[in-house]
Amino acid sequence: MSEITLGILGGGQLGSMLSIAAKKLNIKTTIYCDDQDAPAQKFCDEFICAKYNDKDEINNFANKVNIITYEFENIPFKTLNELSKLKTVSPKPSVNRLIQHRLAEKDFVNKLNIRTTRYVHVQNKEELSTLDDFFPGILKTTTMGYDGKGQYLIKDVNQIENFNIDFSKEYILEKLVKLKKEISVIITRFDNNRYEIYEPIENIHEDQILRYSQIPADISQKLFNQSKDWAIIIAEELKYVGTLCVEFFVDRNDNLYVNEIAPRVHNSGHLTINAYNISQFENHIRAVCSLEQVSLKKLSNAKMTNLIGNQIIYYRENPILNDNQFFFDYLKKEIKEKRKMGHITTLK
Ligand code: ADP
Ligand code: MG
């Protein structure tokens, strides 16, 4: 019987699924989250609700656990750094700091000779109005964005006035890629050249929010290999420990671009729960807790559908599923527009 208690910062659905995976491995979980309605409290062994900058509560949390990880990236660097003086934090705080800043993240990827979209740092309106070459483009806050939040799609330079852009924040402007499709690769790294990698997943977004993920991705063998190779290079270069997701764009000429890196388990990997012998969540726990590495085996093709906002209601009221369907309700207290409420995975 293991005596490990894993501390998890963040209490959303990813925290719930990590707690479920931990339980299977006899690992206890303590979740720390600033939201008193955090859904993961229903799945963990202990729940601490406090602000991420509450020094006393953070200390208290560190004292209760053996190892610390996190399920979302927007945690203050100072908090992760303080925690890492007390207990091992995986992935390392420095990795999170790099990835949570879109500019630093893209600079890092480019230095590895891996293609990203064209991008430029924007600090004020005057700068933005001189950047003709980058339109049509997407203006994104450098930090704290998710599910398309903090983003402006701007067709041309004359349109800037139509948007009420808050320039107290910093941005990057990215040239719009003519997308053929989006894919992601999830990799769990244990140690130097020791990793388990899932096959590329095809992702379909609606309103910049992930709606469907499926395997196999409908891509060429070349892209299949290249996306996996790039994910391995990124994970190795970061000396990453745990599960990481690389999101990619494929353009109409079949060029591959890294869009962004998520230093955590990822929505597109929910289908790994049912389609593989070991899910991305279990692999994350195995890696950060230094448990045995088990070879991945794909069991089935699969399609995952996110249930966003009101879409959950139908499935809550009609829980009639086929043998090959798996419904997950995140048990969030309130239904909100654009909020991920649950998902369904269908094995094929
Ligand atoms: P988030 O952190 O919100 O996930 P992303 O940078 O991944 O932000 O953007 C969300 C989605 O918006 C992407 O998955 C893609 O569909 C679209 N998008 C973002 N940047 C670009 C771009 N440069 N070209 C084309 N589509 C983009
Ligand atoms: Mg994204």
Side-chain angles (χ1 to χ4, degrees), residues 82-101:
E82 286 304 314
L83 282 169
S84 70
K85 290 178 195 158
L86 303 167
K87 294 283 156 70
T88 301
V89 176
S90 287
K92 286 178 295 192
S94 58
V95 165
N96 187 62
R97 186 183 173 91
L98 178 83
I99 294 177
Q100 73 176 201
H101 196 283

Side-chain angles (χ1 to χ4, degrees), residues 18 25 32 40 44 114 116 129 133 141 172 176-177 200 202 207 279 297 303-304 308-309 326 329 346:
L18 283 169
L25 297 166
Y32 188 108
C44 63
I114 292 175
T116 66
S129 59
D133 289 356
T141 50
I172 64 166
L176 198 71
V177 173
E202 180 164 344
D207 292 336
S279 72
K297 275 192 211 81
K303 177 172 184 176
M304 188 272 328
I308 296 161
F326 301 87
D329 186 337
T346 305

Side-chain angles (χ1 to χ4, degrees), residues 167-225:
F167 277 104
S168 66
K169 295 183 178 149
E170 282 188 34
Y171 294 88
I172 64 166
L173 178 63
E174 276 181 44
K175 179 108 180 172
L176 198 71
V177 173
K178 290 190 175 122
L179 291 181
K180 182 165 149 192
K181 62 181 69 219
E182 297 188 56
I183 59 171
S184 56
V185 172
I186 293 174
I187 179 168
T188 306
R189 184 176 176 277
F190 287 73
D191 203 344
N192 291 345
N193 291 310
R194 282 217 298 123
Y195 52 81
E196 295 298 326
I197 187 162
Y198 298 86
E199 74 173 56
I201 301 163
E202 180 164 344
N203 299 315
I204 295 146
H205 291 78
E206 284 172 5
D207 292 336
Q208 280 152 302
I209 301 179
L210 183 66
R211 179 79 168 111
Y212 305 103
S213 291
Q214 60 196 34
I215 48 171
D218 181 16
I219 51 172
S220 65
Q221 190 62 42
K222 183 178 166 229
L223 289 180
F224 185 98
N225 295 335

Side-chain angles (χ1 to χ4, degrees), residues 102 117 138 140 145-149 151 174-177 179 182 205 208 247 249 259-260:
R102 290 190 197 273
T117 57
I138 303 194
K140 303 179 182 179
Y146 69 98
D147 287 347
K149 290 188 173 64
Q151 301 191 4
E174 276 181 44
K175 179 108 180 172
L176 198 71
V177 173
L179 291 181
E182 297 188 56
H205 291 78
Q208 280 152 302
E247 296 178 13
F249 295 148
N259 169 30
E260 60 174 350

Side-chain angles (χ1 to χ4, degrees), residues 198-336:
Y198 298 86
E199 74 173 56
I201 301 163
E202 180 164 344
N203 299 315
I204 295 146
H205 291 78
E206 284 172 5
D207 292 336
Q208 280 152 302
I209 301 179
L210 183 66
R211 179 79 168 111
Y212 305 103
S213 291
Q214 60 196 34
I215 48 171
D218 181 16
I219 51 172
S220 65
Q221 190 62 42
K222 183 178 166 229
L223 289 180
F224 185 98
N225 295 335
Q226 192 174 36
S227 58
K228 286 176 73 175
D229 289 348
W230 285 359
I232 293 166
I233 292 170
I234 288 168
E236 285 294 329
E237 184 66 25
L238 292 170
K239 298 204 179 308
Y240 195 89
V241 175
T243 295
L244 167 142
C245 176
V246 184
E247 296 178 13
F248 297 91
F249 295 148
V250 177
D251 75 10
R252 290 180 194 168
N253 297 318
D254 255 4
N255 294 308
L256 189 66
Y257 304 76
V258 167
N259 169 30
E260 60 174 350
I261 305 166
R264 54 173 169 79
V265 288
H266 193 260
N267 190 170
S268 64
H270 291 355
L271 54 74
T272 64
I273 294 174
N274 310 103
Y276 279 87
N277 60 334
I278 310 268
S279 72
Q280 62 163 349
F281 302 99
E282 182 174 338
N283 259 331
H284 184 71
I285 308 279
R286 284 179 180 274
V288 302
C289 296
S290 308
L291 305 185
E292 187 197 353
Q293 181 183 347
V294 176
S295 298
L296 266 186
K297 275 192 211 81
K298 183 180 167 182
L299 307 174
S300 174
N301 289 330
K303 177 172 184 176
M304 188 272 328
T305 304
N306 266 340
L307 302 172
I308 296 161
N310 285 330
Q311 290 164 352
I312 191 77
I313 296 172
Y314 174 84
Y315 292 94
R316 278 184 180 162
E317 290 172 359
N318 300 279
I320 304 159
L321 300 166
N322 298 325
D323 287 350
N324 62 339
Q325 287 189 308
F326 301 87
F327 170 53
F328 295 77
D329 186 337
Y330 303 153
L331 306 176
K332 292 186 182 176
K333 202 171 167 194
E334 228 184 307
I335 296 179
K336 281 194 193 161

